[in-house]
């Protein structure tokens, strides 16, 4: 009902592609009676790249409207559902084909009210956020002495029963890196900490946030079920608050903390994936899949996680759709639901990635390449390709197109490029990565500070340029990314 017609930049893009000198030469068939030869794929890729940088602001408009209209989009929420319907309507307006929504069941988690404070030796307020999936505390809260551990491994080394009646806290620090490697190391404590603490008798679990900032913002995120539930209430503390407790403990004080949460579960909720195609002109059954996730955590508005990912892949596919000639293969955009919670709910793993791989099982053999944008809005600096094409002509061409916007070759094959596309990759579909600079990503990741104002439009557009060019090259080629040029398997 409230879907305005495509914005001016889209019309401007058409002008960009149609009147530039290269396009005029290459796509003369557009206006002339006799068809001219099609432009070389590399020339089209370069044009798409340049069009994305020339004021093509579909991406920014997408993330701006999405975050303004729907705010946070927790998995299984009405906000997520309405955002999915909005996205499908926008896809249709942008001229995509096969636009539809695929629903799947989830158990939604609702934060409710929460609070945390030090009660002894003196009362002090704390900034905390319940971890996703955490059960509520009793109405009166839980209170106990805090036992601090430097790492998850240190907690695991504590004997059974040693934490009876206590609150366990893991106070490890996440390391800031460009490629986000620090997250993988730190996040285990968030995922497994509550279970390990409960096994040793703890009544609650606290975590120094998995984040690199020094602000009084807690970073939420999901934590793992053990025997069908998260066993004890689990909270992230803002980093300065966790450090405060650790310093008090180091001073020899017995620190007591009170925690309260009214979190709850909605058992019969549903989430959904939104699918849209730019149908290939020659081999439409072959799919280059671009993924991002539509759900977000609940405290911010999911602008950088993952509103920008959706915006980047949508804008890239829209550019390809509006090129004078379609690519040979289909470019498919999938906005996955329920990425942020990953609990097993039969018959699916709850997140949209499993639902997609299950629903499209028969088609995965003709999915030729898959990528995901889920690392914020900062610039792409590195291209990762499947092992089979790491050295070949495809890589050389792609890098010639991407080098002018600052993208270098990864020396290793792309792997684990996204949670949502994980099940599709596990089914044998090759993956690519356009790695973004993640140096600042974990300052706001999963916090209340994940809002639109954090997005740098110029860097966002550089992402669109890289995705449009790479997706076009893959879709217009007949490269077999599974085997092309593949070295023999390693000998045992
Ligand atoms: Zn994400």
């Amino acid at each position: 009902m409230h879907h305005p017609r495509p914005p001016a930049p889209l019309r401007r893009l058409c002008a960009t592609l149609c009147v530039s000198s290269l396009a005029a030469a290459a796509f003369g068939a557009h206006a002339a009676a006799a068809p001219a030869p099609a432009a070389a794929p590399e020339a089209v890729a370069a044009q798409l790249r340049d069009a994305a940088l020339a004021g093509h602001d579909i991406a920014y408009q997408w993330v701006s409207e999405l975050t303004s209209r729907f705010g946070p989009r927790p998995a299984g929420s009405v906000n997520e559902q309405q955002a999915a319907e909005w996205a499908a309507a926008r896809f249709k307006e942008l001229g995509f084909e096969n636009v539809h929504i695929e629903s799947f069941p989830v158990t939604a988690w609702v934060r409710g009210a929460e609070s945390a404070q030090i009660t002894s030796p003196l009362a002090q307020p704390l900034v905390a956020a319940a971890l996703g999936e955490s059960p509520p505390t009793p109405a009166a809260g839980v209170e106990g002495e805090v036992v601090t551990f430097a790492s998850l491994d240190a907690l695991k080394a504590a004997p059974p029963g040693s934490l009876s009646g206590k609150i366990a806290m893991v106070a490890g620090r996440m390391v800031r890196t460009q490629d986000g490697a620090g997250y993988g190391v730190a996040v285990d404590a968030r995922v497994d900490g509550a279970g390990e603490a409960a096994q040793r008798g703890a009544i609650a679990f606290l975590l120094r946030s998995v984040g690199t900032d020094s602000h009084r913002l807690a970073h939420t995120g999901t934590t793992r079920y053990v025997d069908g539930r998260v066993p004890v209430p689990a909270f992230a503390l803002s980093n300065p608050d966790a450090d405060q407790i650790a310093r008090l403990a180091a001073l020899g004080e017995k620190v007591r903390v009170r925690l309260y949460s009214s979190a709850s579960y909605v058992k019969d909720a549903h989430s959904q994936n939104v699918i849209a195609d730019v149908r290939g002109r020659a081999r439409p059954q072959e799919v280059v899949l671009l993924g991002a996730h539509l759900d977000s955590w609940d405290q911010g508005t999911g602008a950088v996680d993952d509103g920008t990912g959706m915006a980047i892949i949508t804008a890239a596919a829209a550019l390809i759709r509006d090129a004078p000639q379609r690519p040979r293969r289909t470019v498919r955009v999938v906005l996955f639901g329920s990425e942020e919670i990953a609990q097993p709910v039969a018959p699916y793993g709850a997140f949209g990635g499993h639902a997609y791989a299950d629903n499209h099982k028969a088609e995965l053999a003709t999915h030729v390449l898959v990528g995901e944008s889920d690392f914020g809005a900062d610039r792409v600096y590195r291209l990762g390709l499947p092992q089979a094409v790491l050295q070949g002509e495809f890589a050389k061409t792609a890098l010639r197109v991407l080098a002018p916007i600052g993208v270098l070759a990864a020396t290793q094959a792309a792997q684990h490029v996204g949670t949502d596309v994980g099940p599709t990759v596990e089914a044998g579909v090759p993956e690519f990565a356009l790695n973004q600079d993640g140096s600042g990503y974990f300052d706001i990741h999963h916090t209340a500070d994940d809002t639109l104002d954090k997005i740098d439009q110029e860097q966002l557009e550089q992402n669109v340029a890289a995705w449009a060019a790479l997706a076009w090259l893959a879709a217009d080629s007949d490269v077999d990314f599974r085997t092309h040029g593949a070295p023999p398997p390693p000998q045992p």
Side-chain angles (χ1 to χ4, degrees), residues 5 58 134-135 300 380:
R5 67 203 203 89
I58 285 188
S134 169
V380 173

Side-chain angles (χ1 to χ4, degrees), residues 412-437:
Q412 310 263 312
Q415 54 175 343
H416 308 307
V417 303
T419 301
D420 299 291
V421 300
T424 294
V425 170
E426 277 167 35
V429 181
E431 54 189 330
F432 74 93
L434 286 164
N435 297 124
Q436 293 165 278
D437 183 346

Side-chain angles (χ1 to χ4, degrees), residues 118-122 143-148 166 245-257:
I118 296 172
T119 55
S120 172
L122 284 171
E143 185 177 342
E145 183 188 333
V146 178
V147 182
T148 64
K166 308 263 173 68
I245 291 174
R247 274 192 305 273
L248 275 172
L251 288 169
E253 298 288 355
K254 273 197 160 85
V255 183
R256 291 181 67 81
V257 163

